[in-house]
Amino acid sequence: MRFIQEFKKFALRGNVIGLSVGMIMGSAFGKIVTALIEDLFMPMVNPLLVTDRNWQSIEVGPGIKIGHFIASVLNFLVISLVIFAVIKLMHTVKKSEEQVAGPTATEKLLIEIRDALKK
């Protein structure tokens, strides 16, 4: 019975639940970006390349799919760029909220104590 209680305590901690939500959101976000690349971006890139077929199906040797690899790298780069932009935006919003909020009640009290000690 103790094992079940320990597992319940572990599984219901905030970190585990937050990680689970992050993984689910990440996989859904990955599908959106993959669809964006495959359905919108690649059809614009394909005519620019001088091939008579889809460049993602290019093979260098038997089973060596270089086109698929390049598409996967491009997919990774776009996902990384979008995630970087989202995180940068989140930090900017958080920083502006902290500046607007000003010091908390505890910080104000500590400032008063510091000023009183200086006198």
Side-chain angles (χ1 to χ4, degrees), residues 15 32 34 37 47 58-59 62 85 99 116:
N15 296 343
I32 291 171
T34 301
I37 291 172
I58 297 174
E59 293 185 11
Q99 290 174 352

Side-chain angles (χ1 to χ4, degrees), residues 48-114:
L48 300 176
L49 300 172
V50 187
T51 59
D52 56 345
R53 60 187 177 150
N54 184 1
W55 64 274
Q56 292 182 25
S57 64
I58 297 174
E59 293 185 11
V60 181
I64 301 175
K65 300 176 182 178
I66 191 75
H68 181 70
F69 174 73
I70 292 171
S72 296
V73 169
L74 184 61
N75 192 359
F76 171 77
L77 291 174
V78 171
I79 289 173
S80 300
L81 178 68
V82 171
I83 289 174
F84 172 75
V86 168
I87 290 173
K88 189 164 178 69
L89 178 68
M90 287 173 47
H91 282 295
T92 303
V93 169
K94 185 177 180 182
K95 192 179 290 186
S96 66
E97 286 177 355
E98 289 175 355
Q99 290 174 352
V100 170
T104 63
T106 305
E107 291 171 341
K108 287 179 184 177
L109 181 61
L110 289 172
I111 290 170
E112 290 176 13
I113 293 171
R114 180 197 64 196

